[in-house]
Amino acid sequence: PPTDYCGGWVCFCVSLLMIGGVTVIIGDMANLFGCVLPFMENEITAITFVALGTSLPDTFASKTAATQDPYADASVGNVTGSNSVNVFLGLGLPWMIASLYWSGITSHDEWDALYQEDEDLAWMGPANKRAKAYVVKAGSLAFSVMVFTGCAICCICILAARRNFLGGELGGPKASKYLTSAVLV
């Protein structure tokens, strides 16, 4: 819809719905792709393909900002901010919804079957007497956070080195542009 309807709110809400729909499609396609490749686990598929699919709009926005800003500060801020929002909302919102779900149900048979006898949850109390709560078992999450942290540290170091040696994060001589692009991709 046009941006002048209801002060732009109709366009904004429709855009959010469309982004949500595309994200669902990307998630399903990544899951199907993970099923087709027997050597790739779903967690690895999620990290690579879903992150790529959800970050592409930010990439184009950053490219536009980089070409319009002589120092490319807006594009670096956009990448940092969008990835932080992806991580915090991508983890926090589903966990909040799951916590509300588990606290609101009256029958806990499913929870009891999954977690009452689980040895990894001994910190929650003795077996068969544990209070019901939303449980996120460590496993693939720790790996995902380590991969994200390692990549973020590498990117920050590369950008800092480019600023010190080339005078800016983006641009510069062709060889350094292409080398940095290849490393970051």
Side-chain angles (χ1 to χ4, degrees):
T3 56
D4 58 346
Y5 287 177
C6 298
W9 284 103
V10 175
C11 182
F12 177 73
C13 292
V14 169
S15 297
L16 285 180
L17 288 173
M18 293 295 187
I19 290 170
V22 169
T23 303
V24 167
I25 291 170
I26 289 172
D28 287 345
M29 291 297 129
N31 192 19
L32 291 172
F33 190 72
C35 291
V36 171
L37 298 175
F39 59 86
M40 187 178 288
E41 298 180 23
N42 283 341
E43 290 85 7
I44 304 299
T45 305
I47 288 172
T48 53
F49 293 107
V50 174
L52 176 68
T54 57
S55 295
L56 278 178
D58 298 327
T59 304
F60 295 127
S62 294
K63 196 260 186 212
T64 302
T67 56
Q68 294 175 355
D69 184 9
Y71 301 107
D73 291 336
S75 62
V76 173
N78 183 37
V79 168
T80 306
S82 67
N83 282 327
S84 298
V85 168
N86 286 345
V87 169
F88 297 137
L89 282 180
L91 294 176
L93 191 62
W95 286 354
M96 184 187 76
I97 292 169
S99 297
L100 292 173
Y101 168 78
W102 281 106
S103 67
I105 61 173
T106 56
S107 172
H108 295 286
D109 296 335
E110 182 182 0
W111 194 94
D112 289 338
L114 288 172
Y115 302 118
Q116 277 296 356
E117 300 289 330
D118 193 337
E119 294 175 8
D120 294 335
L121 301 176
W123 58 271
M124 291 180 70
N128 296 320
K129 295 186 181 184
R130 295 179 182 153
K132 311 308 184 264
Y134 178 58
V135 176
V136 177
K137 294 184 71 168
S140 62
L141 179 62
F143 174 74
S144 300
V145 171
M146 286 190 310
V147 168
F148 176 78
T149 303
C151 289
I153 289 170
C154 288
C155 289
I156 289 171
C157 290
I158 289 170
L159 292 176
R162 285 188 57 85
R163 176 166 276 202
N164 287 335
F165 297 114
L166 299 173
E169 290 85 4
L170 301 175
K174 277 194 175 210
S176 65
K177 280 195 297 192
Y178 291 131
L179 178 64
T180 303
S181 297
V183 170
L184 292 178
V185 170

